[in-house]
């Protein structure tokens, strides 16, 4: 914890207050977006003040807990010229990071303002006792930067004991603000800096370099130096490096610190004396010392560690080049160099780097780049609740893609000062171009969806490992127990597996046990295989009374297969329900949600969006808030719960039904043998998943009997993958449950009433929509019976074509007739007469009876149409 002081400012206000802050807190204060305001504002001071003297003055500051460098200007070491504008803060950050010095660098108010160039501050935690030690620390740090080729100029503010340092702020909203942070467990060695300062001999450059090396121990605790020495700082490796560069071994001679001292002869030696020694130092490091003359580069320093040998022999003594080379060795990422005019090539290189990343982290999906993440807490997407821990697909925007590009490749830019390449963040222009470069993401794996269960591939192999599976283009979540299957699975084995899967559901009050069991098994098999199936029907769970367990049944099925509950989509009411439903579906598909429960829907389920979601393999829609259209794989499993749940129109042939009836007034008060079903299902998941996949494997080994029978239209692959295996097990076809939905379809009921009232009044006579309305509204009735028939037709017309004000709408009726042309309801079919030639009259319709169960309709003369 650093004991600093701070003031609300401006600088003329010298009143201070204590400020205790740790490194993380100081870094957080600098990483927040700074305020826009004047330069002279709140500030902090490097240490605490004396009791009774809470004002900013050198005499009142007790000690310093912070070393601060003011980055205002650049020093040319060859000419001594000082120019405005400091070296880029990234260069300073890299040197301090390589030295493993904890620091924070943040740009100041004047950064890049009015041609002043780079302006920033460097804050280094250090326990500094007095002014003298402060100057030693400043000078040593500046000297280390200079030796690394970063010419940061030393300024008087660095040495001012009570200097006021402004908190981060910007001159304008558009001004650039930069922050670099390096955290480490190493403690800045103030005492070594003081010793280094005392040992300087300004008259001798060689002595100056030797004294610099006597500063804080380089590589003793980490950083690039420490990593190199840890790997290569042993006698065998160092002797090999010396021999490779012409040094001749004369063998060991004596011992030091418990290890032998190796003697070597330098190349070009005239004396023939072995003046080079490899020895173990007191601190445990292996070092090389040379007593030869200037012809031996090792004689330029009192001692050399393994990294020095690497720097001197392989990089001409240039420390920066040696560090960059070692960094490339540690980091296998490819390097992308950012220069003007190379945008197309850099985009291709970026795509290649993403494609080469293993395991893959970025995928292409539709017209977007994305990654897989997990929700840390329950999420809300357009009113839909997604459980905590659910694996979701995150569409990458510019900032997110920059992070992934930084992981996949090293990005370099050439320094205008040194003409050397230094590492930078991924290029914003390349990142922006990547997001738009649909079709140029060659090699980036394509993601179809997320599977939260193992995958049984088409070749019969089971993929039960976490990660991306190229064969199926699915990301396997992997948070499931280990799954292994027997080599051979018989029909008896598969039937026992089905019985095991149904065991947790036996206390549910199913209306038709065998058929409802078949639909439950179908739901489980669909959840497991849905990422591989282009379409799948809606699974409805209906009960007569609240509290029967509809939602619990859906939850238990999802926990068994996926390990977590489905996302909950509540019902939408009002005139905008269809539009809101479409928006919700698009948002959920963008996130790759695998399972949705339409929870407690009271109105009949239907509509264009729901119908399309169930029968389309790819969903296209405009992204909310953006002027772009996306096309996404629609690989989610849809369930719905409700009391006396019903579906309407085309949804009846796209849905299956599980019916529950507890037969009591308060079903929620029942007692059960297993009070915690969700917990039981999770505990047994290690046995249930193998049982689930045993059914699928056994059916494939039996050569898929009945695979092409009773195929449900628009769901043929699902019928072969789910319904056929259940029939093989001896269960009813789950599509048999659709008959119960048709009975409760309000749309079918309206159509049946409409056709019946029409036929009662008009028979099989051809008529137009206008004539039908005129017939209903006519008052010329000569009998009570005909009057009743006309009233029945009027009521039916208002049901199907009401304008909202109690009147029949002609256009609405025309649309209704066109929509249901050819449909059969209650033994009656609606027929339309084709218009021939240049006839422009309105369409004519009539209602005819269906003569037999095949649906063949006949007129009054018995001739089939």
């Amino acid at each position: 914890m650093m004991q600093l002081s701070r003031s609300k400012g401006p600088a003329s206000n010298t009143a201070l207050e204590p400020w205790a802050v740790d490194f993380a807190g100081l870094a957080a204060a600098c990483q927040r977006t700074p305020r826009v305001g004047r330069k002279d504002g709140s500030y902090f001071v490097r240490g605490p003040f004396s009791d009774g003297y809470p004002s900013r003055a050198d005499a009142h500051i007790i000690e310093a807990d912070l070393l601060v460098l003011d980055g205002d200007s650049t020093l040319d070491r060859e000419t001594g010229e000082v120019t405005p504008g400091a070296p880029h803060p990234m260069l300073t950050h890299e040197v301090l990071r390589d030295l493993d010095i904890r620091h924070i660098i943040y740009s100041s108010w004047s950064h890049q303002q009015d041609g002043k160039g780079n302006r920033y501050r460097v804050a280094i935690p250090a326990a500094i006792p007095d002014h003298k030690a402060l100057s030693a620390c400043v000078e040593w740090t500046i000297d280390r930067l200079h030796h690394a080729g970063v010419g940061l100029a030393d300024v008087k503010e660095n040495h001012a004991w009570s200097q006021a340092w402004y908190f981060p702020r910007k001159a304008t909203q558009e001004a650039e603000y930069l922050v670099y942070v390096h955290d480490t467990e190493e403690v800045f060695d103030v005492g070594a800096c003081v010793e280094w300062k005392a040992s300087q001999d300004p008259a001798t450059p060689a002595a100056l370099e030797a004294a610099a090396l006597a500063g804080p121990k380089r590589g003793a605790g980490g950083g690039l130096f420490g990593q190199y020495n840890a790997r290569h700082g042993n006698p065998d490796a160092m002797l090999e490096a010396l021999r490779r560069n012409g040094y001749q071994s004369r063998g060991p001679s004596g011992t030091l610190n418990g290890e032998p001292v190796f003697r070597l002869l330098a190349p070009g030696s005239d004396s023939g004396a072995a003046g080079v020694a490899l020895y173990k130092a007191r601190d445990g490091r292996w070092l090389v010392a040379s007593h030869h003359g200037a012809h031996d580069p090792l004689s330029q320093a009192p001692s050399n560690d393994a990294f020095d040998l690497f720097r001197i022999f392989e990089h001409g003594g240039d420390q920066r080049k040696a560090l960059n080379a070692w960094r490339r060795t540690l980091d296998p990422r490819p390097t992308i160099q950012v220069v003007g005019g190379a945008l197309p090539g850099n985009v291709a290189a970026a795509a290649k780097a993403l494609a080469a990343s293993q395991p893959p982290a970025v995928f292409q999906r539709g017209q977007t780049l994305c990654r897989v993440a997990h929700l840390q807490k329950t999420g809300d997407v357009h009113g839909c609740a997604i459980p905590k821990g659910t694996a979701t697909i995150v569409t990458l925007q510019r900032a997110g893609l920059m992070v992934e590009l930084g992981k996949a490749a090293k990005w370099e830019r050439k320094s205008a000062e040194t003409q050397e390449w230094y590492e930078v963040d991924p290029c914003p222009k390349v990142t922006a171009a990547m997001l738009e470069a649909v079709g140029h993401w060659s090699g980036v794996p394509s993601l179809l969806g997320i599977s939260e269960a193992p995958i049984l591939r088409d070749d019969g192999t089971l993929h039960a490992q976490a990660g991306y599976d190229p064969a199926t283009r699915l990301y396997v979540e992997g948070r499931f127990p280990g799954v292994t299957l027997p080599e051979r699975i018989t029909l008896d084995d598969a039937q026992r597996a089905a019985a095991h899967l149904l065991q947790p559901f036996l206390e549910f009050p199913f209306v038709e046990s065998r058929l409802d069991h078949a639909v439950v098994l179908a739901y489980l098999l669909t959840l497991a295989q849905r990422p591989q199936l282009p379409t799948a029907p809606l699974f409805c769970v209906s009960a007569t009374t609240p509290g029967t367990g509809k939602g619990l049944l859906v939850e238990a099925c999802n926990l068994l297969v996926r390990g977590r509950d489905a996302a909950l989509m509540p019902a939408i009411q009002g005139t905008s329900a269809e539009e809101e439903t479409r928006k919700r579906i698009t948002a959920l598909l963008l996130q790759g949600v695998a399972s949705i429960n339409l929870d407690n829907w009271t109105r009949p389920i239907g509509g264009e969006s729901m119908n399309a979601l169930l029968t389309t393999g790819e969903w296209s829609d405009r992204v909310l808030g953006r002027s772009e259209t996306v096309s996404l794989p629609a690989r989610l499993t849809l369930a719905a719960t409700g009391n006396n749940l019903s579906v309407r129109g085309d949804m009846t042939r796209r849905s299956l039904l599980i019916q529950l009836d507890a037969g009591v007034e308060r079903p929620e008060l029942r007692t059960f043998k297993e009070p915690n079903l969700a917990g039981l299902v999770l505990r047994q998941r290690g046995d249930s998943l193998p049982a689930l996949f045993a059914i699928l494997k056994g059916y494939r080994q039996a050569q898929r009997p009945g695979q092409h029978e009773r195929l449900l239209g628009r769901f043929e692959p699902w019928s072969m993958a789910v319904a056929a295996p259940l029939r093989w097990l001896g269960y009813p076809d789950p599509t048999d449950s659709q008959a119960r939905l048709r009975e409760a379809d309000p749309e079918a009921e309206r159509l049946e009433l409409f056709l019946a009232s029409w036929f009662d009044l008009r028979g099989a006579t051809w008529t137009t929509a206008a004539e039908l309305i005129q017939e209903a509204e006519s008052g010329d009735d000569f009998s009570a019976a005909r009057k009743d028939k006309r009233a029945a037709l009027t009521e039916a017309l208002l049901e199907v074509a009401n304008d909202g004000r109690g009147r029949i709408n002609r256009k609405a009726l025309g649309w209704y007739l066109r929509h249901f042309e050819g449909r059969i309801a209650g033994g009656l079919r609606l027929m339309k007469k084709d218009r021939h030639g240049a006839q422009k009259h309105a369409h004519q319709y009539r209602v005819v009876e269906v003569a037999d169960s095949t649906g063949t309709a006949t007129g009054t003369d018995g001739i089939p149409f």
Side-chain angles (χ1 to χ4, degrees), residues 39 70-74 84-91 106-121 169-180 413 416-417 422:
K39 178 178 180 179
D70 205 7
D72 279 351
S73 51
T74 299
H88 195 282
M90 171 66 85
L91 300 176
Y106 66 93
S107 56
S108 64
W109 187 92
S110 302
H111 178 66
Q112 296 295 346
Q113 297 297 312
D114 301 326
K116 294 180 179 179
N118 299 309
R119 297 294 178 98
Y120 53 87
R121 296 190 177 93
R169 57 173 53 83
K170 298 197 300 182
T172 64
Q173 189 66 45
E174 296 76 23
E176 180 182 52
Y177 181 66
L178 302 176
V179 180
Y180 302 93
R413 190 182 297 275
E417 300 171 353
Y422 64 94

Side-chain angles (χ1 to χ4, degrees), residues 348 351-356 364 437 439-445:
K352 184 177 180 180
L354 291 176
Q364 51 178 312
H440 295 278
W441 300 326
S442 178
V444 177

Side-chain angles (χ1 to χ4, degrees), residues 53-70:
Y53 298 96
S55 61
R56 192 180 80 250
D58 283 0
H60 300 162
I61 303 301
I62 304 172
E63 58 190 9
D65 277 356
L66 205 60
L67 168 64
V68 185
L69 305 180
D70 205 7

Side-chain angles (χ1 to χ4, degrees), residues 44 89 112 150 156 260 262 271 290 392 399 414 561 588 591 610 626 630 691 700 711 719 729 855:
F44 63 92
Q112 296 295 346
V150 179
K156 66 180 187 318
F262 298 92
S271 65
S290 173
T392 62
K414 183 177 286 188
V561 179
L588 291 169
Q591 292 207 14
M610 285 295 181
R626 305 209 302 267
V630 294
R700 294 187 182 190
L711 299 180
S719 297
L729 291 174

